[in-house]
Amino acid sequence: MRGRTPGAGRRVGALSRDGALVVRPTPGVHAERLTFGHGTHAPVPAAAAAAELAHEPKPFSFTHLETWDWGWGGLLIFSILLFFRPQDQVIALGNAHLSEVAAIVGLSAMVALNSKRREPLTRVTPELLGVLGLGLVMLLTVPTSFWPGGSFGVFKDYYIKVALVFMLMVNTVTSPRRIERIGWVIVLAFGYISLRAWVDYARGVNLVEGGRVAGAEGGFFENPNDLALNLAAFLPLAMMYVKRPGPVFKRLLSAGITVLMLGAIVFTKSRSGMLGAVTMLTVYLLATRSLKPWVIVALVVSAMLVIPAMPQSFWDRMASITDSGKDTTGSREERRLLMEQAWTVFLQNPVTGIGAGQFQNYGTPGQAKKWRVTHNAYLQVAAELGIFGILLFLFIVWRGFSAAWWTRQHLNWIYRRRSRRKPQPEPEDGLTPDERYFLQTHAAAMLACLTGWFICAIFASVAFNWTIYYLLGLSVTARDVVRARERAYAKAKKLAMQEAVAA
């Protein structure tokens, strides 16, 4: 556990009949951290005690400097700038490099806080090791790269930022409240991006390739396929907030954003986006236990109303998934050739690859397509970083699924019916019922998010883009919060029992 030893300078007390911890301060000693109640013998909910012992952040207040966490603040501001991208509209913001400043402030505060607690500079998780390991492979393959300067530029200008921000997530997103806030930032951002896509499509502006809407924002939303990928990957978060009990306004807002995101996917006319969205929706309905009769009826009725309203150009493009004759642009055949080419490049350079970002620059005699990317994230990594790179990348993706699956299964018991005749023992995970429900549904949604990304990534070179690393962070932090609470609850209970025996 972080910080000083819990229980030092105070007596934690015992468990009351309702399972709450009772704090009994040692006479004459100031209760420094575990002052949960007012006065002596104050009953304390076990979840609050576990959260305190797990060193989760206190509620933020502008007037109380001790509640300011600059590490978390830096991550939150960086995420807002990354997803809303105001710097694309206001040139002065881009010139100020505010996102880099926010990340640096966050990382500096994280290191300072961990140093103050006399802890390692960062938490070390298998996922963080995988992300850093992929960066190491990227660096080690620079000398053998087709263009060493270009490969080093990919690492310096793109990947190192991704890795450091992921490290910041692992260290600062340490409570259910923070996980929810990051999720809300992303949902609101995609609501804004999707609304702009609707407006652009209605006005007939910002359209490419025969009426496909492109992202109104830059970065990793600009290309229609990349926009569809991100919409399919983050849509389950919006749907989760619709499903989760809470204020009516918040649920209605989430429902509206869900509709906007679905419409924006259609307007991109992205074949990979639609494949990812359909697979993602299937996983979401199953993982969140939403496949109920009334849901099926609602889906059928919605399909009957929406499908006839879709433009014929959309159906023609979707038909080209199985019928190459309907692909007027030839992109289907081009992608097949590029994937074959990427596989050949990997077989020719299986150990070191040709260097990060160099597939589009690499040329061999008889090569069918030049100056193109692989259009497949897995072949992208294999061709550019070799066998060690692709193994680490697949490890990262698998750990995202594994973390989300573990959290969902670990908390899946909340759906069991409780018998009145045979009372069930109270859970000892240190979570409140609301936190428990949120983390379980969040994990189920993350399975759907990762599925949507996984399918779309088969058709896009997005291995080093932000999307997968944010999805990984949201999955891993939820799992780690559950585990930290359980350990803290067990420690608090042990201390309470020791104090009870001593009393």
Side-chain angles (χ1 to χ4, degrees):
M1 301 307 296
R2 295 181 172 184
R4 65 187 67 182
T5 304
R10 56 190 176 275
R11 297 175 61 187
V12 177
L15 292 174
S16 64
R17 294 181 179 179
D18 60 356
L21 285 172
V22 179
V23 179
R24 298 192 180 99
T26 302
V29 178
H30 178 61
E32 211 172 5
R33 288 184 63 90
L34 283 181
T35 310
F36 301 114
H38 299 281
T40 57
H41 307 283
V44 179
E52 183 77 10
L53 288 174
H55 292 283
E56 289 188 12
K58 297 178 181 179
F60 173 75
S61 172
F62 278 105
T63 58
H64 294 80
L65 291 178
E66 68 274 10
T67 65
W68 289 30
D69 186 340
W70 290 97
W72 160 248
L75 175 65
L76 191 63
I77 294 172
F78 178 87
S79 300
I80 292 171
L81 295 171
L82 177 68
F83 286 97
F84 279 95
R85 303 195 66 81
Q87 60 272 28
D88 292 342
Q89 309 300 322
V90 182
I91 298 177
L93 292 178
N95 294 334
H97 301 287
L98 291 182
S99 57
E100 287 86 349
V101 171
I104 291 171
V105 169
L107 288 164
S108 301
M110 177 197 82
V111 170
L113 180 61
N114 288 339
S115 299
K116 181 180 178 181
R117 291 174 173 173
R118 297 182 180 179
E119 296 179 353
L121 298 183
T122 178
R123 292 181 61 243
V124 178
T125 68
E127 297 78 18
L128 179 58
L129 292 176
V131 171
L132 296 178
L134 186 62
L136 179 61
V137 170
M138 199 176 291
L139 275 179
L140 293 176
T141 55
V142 165
T144 59
S145 171
F146 179 73
W147 178 24
S151 293
F152 183 73
V154 171
F155 174 81
K156 176 177 66 71
D157 297 332
Y158 296 100
Y159 192 79
I160 188 63
K161 298 176 183 178
V162 169
L164 290 175
V165 170
F166 178 76
M167 179 190 298
L168 187 59
M169 288 186 72
V170 169
N171 282 272
T172 61
V173 184
T174 53
S175 71
R177 182 187 296 271
R178 289 188 173 182
I179 295 173
E180 184 173 9
R181 286 182 176 174
I182 284 285
W184 260 112
V185 166
I186 295 173
V187 168
L188 292 175
F190 277 103
Y192 165 71
I193 292 169
S194 300
L195 179 61
R196 292 197 60 178
W198 278 66
V199 173
D200 287 348
Y201 192 78
R203 295 174 56 202
V205 300
N206 200 28
L207 304 181
V208 297
E209 297 179 13
R212 301 178 62 196
V213 69
E217 304 294 327
F220 56 113
F221 306 131
E222 190 170 5
N223 180 281
N225 291 322
D226 291 344
L227 175 60
L229 177 147
N230 282 279
L231 289 168
F234 288 109
L235 179 57
L237 289 179
M239 295 191 293
M240 177 196 69
Y241 290 125
V242 178
K243 175 180 171 63
R244 184 188 178 194
V248 175
F249 173 77
K250 184 181 287 187
R251 299 180 72 179
L252 288 175
L253 178 61
S254 300
I257 291 175
T258 299
V259 173
L260 290 174
M261 293 176 72
L262 284 170
I265 293 175
V266 173
F267 298 151
T268 64
K269 300 177 185 178
S270 170
R271 292 165 294 194
S272 59
M274 284 304 300
L275 290 173
V278 170
T279 311
M280 172 273 295
L281 287 170
T282 303
V283 172
Y284 177 84
L285 292 173
L286 294 173
T288 59
R289 296 171 171 257
S290 299
L291 202 59
K292 300 176 182 179
W294 69 268
V295 174
I296 296 175
V297 171
L299 289 174
V300 172
V301 172
S302 299
M304 293 173 64
L305 294 173
V306 173
I307 289 177
M310 291 184 177
Q312 184 59 39
S313 59
F314 171 82
W315 294 115
D316 290 341
R317 187 168 176 82
M318 293 304 108
S320 67
I321 294 176
T322 56
D323 186 356
S324 60
K326 293 187 177 182
D327 182 17
T328 58
T329 63
S331 61
R332 181 178 183 270
E333 179 63 15
E334 183 177 289
R335 290 187 182 213
R336 184 186 67 79
L337 292 174
L338 285 168
M339 289 181 186
E340 290 179 357
Q341 207 163 279
W343 179 248
T344 301
V345 170
F346 169 64
L347 294 179
Q348 293 172 347
N349 306 271
V351 178
T352 61
I354 58 175
Q358 297 313 302
F359 181 82
Q360 59 185 343
N361 300 323
Y362 186 73
T364 56
Q367 185 169 319
K369 295 289 179 181
K370 295 182 179 179
W371 309 109
R372 296 289 189 272
V373 294
T374 61
H375 287 287
N376 181 296
Y378 315 104
L379 288 174
Q380 174 193 4
V381 178
E384 295 182 353
L385 299 183
I387 186 66
F388 300 107
I390 186 58
L391 288 176
L392 280 169
F393 185 71
L394 292 175
F395 171 77
I396 290 169
V397 175
W398 171 71
R399 290 298 298 188
F401 278 101
S402 175
W405 179 262
W406 183 90
T407 308
R408 178 187 178 274
Q409 293 300 103
H410 196 69
L411 300 176
N412 209 30
W413 61 267
I414 64 174
Y415 292 106
R416 297 174 189 166
R417 293 184 178 180
R418 295 196 175 191
S419 173
R420 295 182 179 179
R421 297 181 180 179
K422 188 179 180 181
Q424 298 294 322
E426 289 298 317
E428 297 190 354
D429 54 14
L431 297 167
T432 66
D434 182 65
E435 291 172 337
R436 203 173 288 124
Y437 182 82
F438 166 71
L439 290 169
Q440 202 280 338
T441 52
H442 170 84
M446 291 312 303
L447 284 173
C449 290
L450 288 161
T451 300
W453 179 89
F454 183 87
I455 297 299
C456 291
I458 297 174
F459 310 98
S461 300
V462 291
F464 309 136
N465 287 9
W466 289 98
T467 311
I468 181 58
Y469 301 97
Y470 260 81
L471 293 176
L472 178 66
L474 288 170
S475 296
V476 168
T477 52
R479 177 204 64 195
D480 291 348
V481 165
V482 175
R483 289 179 173 176
R485 283 284 189 94
E486 286 185 337
R487 291 193 298 267
Y489 182 91
K491 192 166 188 177
K493 184 176 180 180
K494 181 179 179 180
L495 288 170
M497 296 302 295
Q498 291 174 348
E499 291 289 345
V501 171

